[in-house]
């Protein structure tokens, strides 16, 4: 099937997007997808909203240097992603999706005064032991120049039959436990993650997934308390590296939720071609997020 492209003259507003996603307020159940929509959603003229960008810098800890933080385009892609997920042919419920992985590649500094274009597509549908996972792939160009790329992997959690759960239980008994990444490096900071960070970040990013907003809404999706946005956690870490080169990639894996409120240890280590970093429990080695920065 050929790609279906939908272009917007400017980035859709969050409030108008949510008017089209009422269906996602109601979980669809255990929908199993055989394919993903073959679509590309794009915006021809991406003009940075200086007020929103400044709010983003403030909540994530970035300095105002006239450059767009490398994680900010992942925020701007949210409304295009939501427009894709709001369509009837998207097989999963938007609310309750769990962020597993994210990678951003900045090919050069991008200034907040530049006008760019953005496109978002879906890919890499695959099985996960808790359901199914898929990718959103985003590209940002200035003219014909590719300046930024991003990949975000999400999990749609699905219930399994009693027989499937028993098979997985037996399989786990015959396998060694999965390695948990241990903290390696220097403690940079103890981060105090506030109870309201999910709500505050939602108003800046437009990501109002109910697992981030309130304990009651998070419990509806199986979490004892609300959890921090993964992309806030990543941005909060990247904002503390003040001497990154002009071109680099930064990828993270989200291992365990950061329940709100919490305190986490931010640890980093220099490597031959970049850095490794992670967020761990305040008093234990439980990994919440690990990542790496590679200089290009």
């Amino acid at each position: 099937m050929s790609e279906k492209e939908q272009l917007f003259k400017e980035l859709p507003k969050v409030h108008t997007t949510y008017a089209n996603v009422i269906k996602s307020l109601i979980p669809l159940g255990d929908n199993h997808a055989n394919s993903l929509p073959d679509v590309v959603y794009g915006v021809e003229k991406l003009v940075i909203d200086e007020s929103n960008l400044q709010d983003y810098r403030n909540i994530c800890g970035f300095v105002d240097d006239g450059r767009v933080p490398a994680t900010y385009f992942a925020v701007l892609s949210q409304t295009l992603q939501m427009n894709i997920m709001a369509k009837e042919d998207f097989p999963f419920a938007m609310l309750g999706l769990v962020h597993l992985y994210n990678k951003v590649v900045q090919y050069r500094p991008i200034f907040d005064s530049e006008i760019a274009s953005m496109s978002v597509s879906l890919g890499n549908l695959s099985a996960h032991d808790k359901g199914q996972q898929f990718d959103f792939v985003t590209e940002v160009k200035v003219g014909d120049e590719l300046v930024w790329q991003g990949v975000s992997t999400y999990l749609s959690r699905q219930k399994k039959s009693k027989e499937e759960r028993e098979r997985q239980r037996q399989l786990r008994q015959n396998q060694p436990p999965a390695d948990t990444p241990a903290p390696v490096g220097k403690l940079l900071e103890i981060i105090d993650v506030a109870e309201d960070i999910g709500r505050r970040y939602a108003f800046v990013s437009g990501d109002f997934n109910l697992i981030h907003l309130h304990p009651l809404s998070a419990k509806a999706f199986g979490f004892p308390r609300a959890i921090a946005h993964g992309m806030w956690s990543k941005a909060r870490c990247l904002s503390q590296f003040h001497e990154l080169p002009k071109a680099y990639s930064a990828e993270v894996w989200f291992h365990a939720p950061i329940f709100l409120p919490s305190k986490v240890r931010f640890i980093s280590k220099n490597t031959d071609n970049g850095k490794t970093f992670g967020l761990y429990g305040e008093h234990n080695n439980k990994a919440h997020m690990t990542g790496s920065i590679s200089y290009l």
Side-chain angles (χ1 to χ4, degrees), residues 94-270:
M94 180 192 310
L95 300 180
L97 290 175
V98 179
H99 206 172
L100 300 178
Y101 168 83
N102 175 267
K103 180 178 182 178
V104 300
V105 183
Q106 175 179 289
Y107 293 103
R108 67 160 174 82
I110 307 159
F111 296 94
D112 52 23
S113 58
E114 292 188 83
I115 298 176
S117 62
M118 174 183 284
S119 65
V120 174
S121 59
L122 290 162
N124 300 322
L125 177 67
S126 59
H128 187 280
D129 61 2
K130 294 183 180 179
Q132 289 180 288
Q133 67 182 53
F134 65 93
D135 292 344
F136 272 112
V137 181
T138 304
E139 292 188 346
V140 176
K141 294 182 178 181
V142 175
D144 294 328
E145 179 189 10
L146 180 64
V147 296
W148 188 93
Q149 285 180 304
V151 175
S152 283
T153 303
Y154 290 92
L155 165 67
S156 172
R157 300 199 299 179
Q158 298 162 5
K159 293 182 179 179
K160 296 183 180 296
S161 68
K162 183 178 179 179
E163 292 76 14
E164 288 176 314
R165 292 196 300 271
E166 178 61 22
R167 283 198 298 269
Q168 289 189 348
R169 185 188 68 80
Q170 292 178 357
L171 182 62
R172 286 194 296 269
Q173 287 179 339
N174 298 325
Q175 291 180 339
D179 292 334
T180 300
V184 177
K186 178 182 178 182
L187 176 64
L188 299 185
E189 184 182 2
I190 299 291
I191 300 177
D192 191 351
V193 188
E195 186 277 335
D196 66 346
I197 193 66
R199 295 186 292 275
R200 290 166 53 206
Y201 185 78
F203 280 105
V204 172
S205 68
D207 182 355
F208 285 89
N209 193 325
L210 294 177
I211 62 178
H212 303 302
L213 303 183
H214 192 274
L216 292 179
S217 59
K219 285 180 181 179
F221 294 93
F223 295 96
R225 305 203 305 272
I227 65 176
H229 290 77
M231 288 307 295
W232 175 84
S233 302
K234 179 178 183 178
R236 180 65 175 76
C237 292
L238 289 186
S239 70
Q240 302 308 298
F241 298 127
H242 301 298
E243 297 181 356
L244 293 177
K246 294 181 178 180
Y248 63 91
S249 66
E251 60 183 339
V252 295
W253 292 262
F254 303 109
H255 301 287
I258 299 177
F259 292 109
L260 304 177
S262 287
K263 291 185 178 181
V264 292
R265 290 180 295 153
F266 175 30
I267 292 173
S268 178
K269 179 183 179 181
N270 291 330

Side-chain angles (χ1 to χ4, degrees), residues 49-109:
D49 182 330
E50 290 292 341
S51 176
N52 181 261
L53 175 56
Q54 193 57 48
D55 289 342
Y56 180 80
R57 288 175 174 138
N58 291 339
I59 199 169
C60 297
F62 290 104
V63 298
D64 182 359
D65 60 358
R67 302 179 181 187
V68 180
T71 48
Y72 186 60
F73 287 113
V75 170
L76 296 185
S77 70
Q78 288 282 338
T79 53
L80 292 177
Q81 293 179 22
M82 286 190 293
N83 272 274
I84 292 175
M85 290 188 284
K87 298 300 183 182
E88 292 184 359
D89 58 351
F90 184 75
F92 306 122
M94 180 192 310
L95 300 180
L97 290 175
V98 179
H99 206 172
L100 300 178
Y101 168 83
N102 175 267
K103 180 178 182 178
V104 300
V105 183
Q106 175 179 289
Y107 293 103
R108 67 160 174 82

